Amino acid sequence: MTAHADREGRTDAPGRIDAPSPSEASGPAGSADRAEVMGLAGAADRAEAAGRTGVWFIGARGSVATTATAGCAAIAAGLHPPTGMVTETPPFADSGLPALTDLVFGGHDTLDCPLSKRAEALADGGVLPHGLPSAVRAELDAADAEIRPGGPLPGDTRTDQELIAAFAADLTDFAHRHDLARTVVINVASTEPAPGPGDTRLPASSLYAAAALRAGCSYANFTPSTGLRTPALTDTVASSGLPHAGRDGKTGQTLLRSVLAPMFLQRALAVRAWSGSNLLGGGDGAALADPAAAAAKNAGKERVLADTFGTAPEGEVHIDDVPAMGDWKTAWDHIAFDGFLGSRMILQTIWQGCDSALAAPLVLDLARLLARAHEAGISGPLPELGFYFKDPDGGTSAALAEQYATLLTFAERLRDRA
């Protein structure tokens, strides 16, 4: 994710206010909201035969969203294999997932850099294959035409309720114009600081999440930002009847932790300390240079260890912004552990990669799985999708192998409902 294109640009203090569901709204605004949702349902009815699914990115002009949009077009056209997409493996073949060719992309962003230009920059940085932006230019332009202004930007005087209504209207209009069966909203914007106890406004991520619920869309938060995890939305989430899945995608360092930590536990090796460091550039590095944003990010990394061991080992994760690294990152872990008869040993790991290329196949997986769950009438938190998150909705084992087994069981459940 890059702050260059993903950051929401908020300067006003976020906070907590009620964000009612359409059924709770009253007066002329409530009537309009109800009409929006009824219209969205009508669009879904008309589109059942076509089966097209909307994928609405928050941070739609950022690295992750651009890579996912370009990658989906490339795979659908047979230009590249679906490397990294778990939903393209045999266990999901008969689960009724929407085809990649049936995904329609749009989103919100506060910046106006065209997707084609963003894709060219990613290709120049080695994130996308050379020549791919030109090969999928038509698909990028089509998605770019569906990106609407996000916010709130500095000077925006709209209330939280007005912003939620505006964002929900964008989603409803998107569904109408494309005759979509359903839309999945996925937050891939830059990490925002957690709201403080005295804040009186909802953070931007929660405004978008509330809008998704109001428009009848399933939702996933691939960032550590607040999203649905605010008391102001608790009742709305519970009454929405919509599937939702997790917070903070698991792409690199934490992916390794979710594999290695159970290994130490299962082999009865005592971990004395687990420290880590991240070097990254681009917008993600710039966004996480903010100590409050970095703290939100690190909480998820530490949670995996605490959930596995029962308590977090000694040690911290440090994040350093290195602009020269661009969209690439290096993650280093130093694990001190005791072996037989107290022998002291060390394991070190180094992960070098591109976060947007790691994240893009996962968000495409999530879009397909959430859309299928919504179609199958599955609602509420989906701990079965914990495989993709540091902080899953609904609670689940932190061990990747167990999460994968649960995901395969979910694929069977979807297959049974096909």
Side-chain angles (χ1 to χ4, degrees):
M1 292 175 281
T2 64
H4 165 74
D6 297 334
R7 187 177 298 176
E8 297 307 320
R10 294 201 72 186
T11 56
D12 59 328
R16 304 179 181 88
I17 61 173
D18 287 337
S21 64
S23 62
E24 296 168 333
S26 60
S31 299
D33 292 336
R34 286 192 294 273
E36 287 173 4
V37 174
M38 291 174 66
L40 184 62
D45 290 339
R46 292 192 305 273
E48 281 297 332
R52 294 200 296 174
T53 295
V55 181
W56 190 268
F57 288 128
I58 309 304
R61 291 193 168 105
S63 294
V64 174
T66 304
T67 303
T69 303
C72 182
I75 296 167
L79 301 177
H80 288 272
T83 305
M85 288 193 65
V86 179
T87 54
E88 283 292 296
T89 60
F92 296 85
D94 300 316
S95 295
L97 304 181
L100 294 177
T101 52
D102 290 332
L103 300 184
V104 182
F105 293 92
H108 282 114
D109 208 307
T110 57
L111 300 184
D112 56 7
C113 176
L115 277 185
S116 59
K117 294 294 184 184
R118 185 74 185 114
E120 289 170 4
L122 290 172
D124 289 342
V127 178
L128 295 179
H130 179 70
L132 181 62
S134 296
V136 298
R137 176 67 180 264
E139 290 85 351
L140 290 171
D141 288 347
D144 193 68
E146 297 299 335
I147 298 176
R148 299 294 178 261
L153 292 169
D156 194 331
T157 60
R158 289 176 293 178
T159 67
D160 284 0
Q161 288 296 336
E162 290 170 334
L163 287 162
I164 292 168
F167 297 154
D170 290 336
L171 284 161
T172 302
D173 181 60
F174 178 59
H176 273 308
R177 286 184 295 99
H178 292 282
D179 282 341
L180 301 177
R182 57 196 53 82
T183 300
V184 180
V185 175
I186 303 180
N187 182 17
V188 289
S190 289
T191 301
E192 65 188 12
D199 293 333
T200 59
R201 299 287 301 270
L202 283 173
S205 64
S206 296
L207 297 175
Y208 291 120
L213 299 182
R214 182 168 293 191
C217 303
S218 51
Y219 175 84
N221 183 4
F222 209 72
T223 82
S225 301
T226 304
L228 294 177
R229 305 284 186 86
T230 171
L233 295 180
T234 300
D235 291 342
T236 306
V237 172
S239 63
S240 69
L242 294 164
H244 53 90
R247 180 169 66 170
D248 200 1
K250 185 165 55 187
T251 58
Q253 185 178 42
T254 310
L255 181 67
L256 282 178
R257 288 181 168 209
S258 68
V259 174
L260 293 175
M263 176 195 73
F264 285 105
L265 186 68
Q266 291 161 4
R267 292 297 295 268
L269 299 171
V271 173
R272 293 183 288 108
W274 197 315
S275 302
S277 181
N278 281 262
L279 308 178
L280 67 163
D284 219 13
L288 295 173
D290 179 347
K297 184 73 172 178
N298 285 337
K301 294 178 180 292
E302 295 167 359
R303 183 179 297 109
V304 170
L305 300 182
D307 288 349
T308 301
F309 297 125
T311 183
E314 177 184 324
E316 298 179 347
V317 177
H318 298 276
I319 299 176
D320 294 319
D321 178 23
V322 185
M325 296 184 70
D327 286 290
W328 298 81
K329 68 180 291 184
T330 296
W332 169 76
D333 268 18
H334 182 280
I335 309 161
F337 65 99
D338 289 340
F340 191 54
L341 303 180
S343 57
R344 297 210 157 184
M345 292 178 270
I346 299 292
L347 172 65
Q348 296 186 55
T349 67
I350 298 177
W351 178 285
Q352 293 178 304
C354 173
D355 244 10
S356 55
L358 291 164
L362 306 186
V363 298
L364 291 174
D365 278 352
L366 286 167
R368 302 175 81 192
L369 289 163
L370 281 164
R372 177 69 183 103
H374 193 183
E375 179 188 28
I378 299 170
S379 63
L382 296 181
E384 296 93 339
L385 302 187
F387 177 76
Y388 295 97
F389 294 100
K390 298 182 183 75
D391 186 9
D393 283 351
T396 184
S397 167
L400 190 70
E402 294 180 26
Q403 291 176 335
Y404 180 63
T406 301
L407 179 64
L408 295 185
T409 300
F410 186 62
E412 294 175 1
R413 182 182 178 191
L414 294 177
R415 189 179 307 119
D416 291 341
R417 298 195 180 200

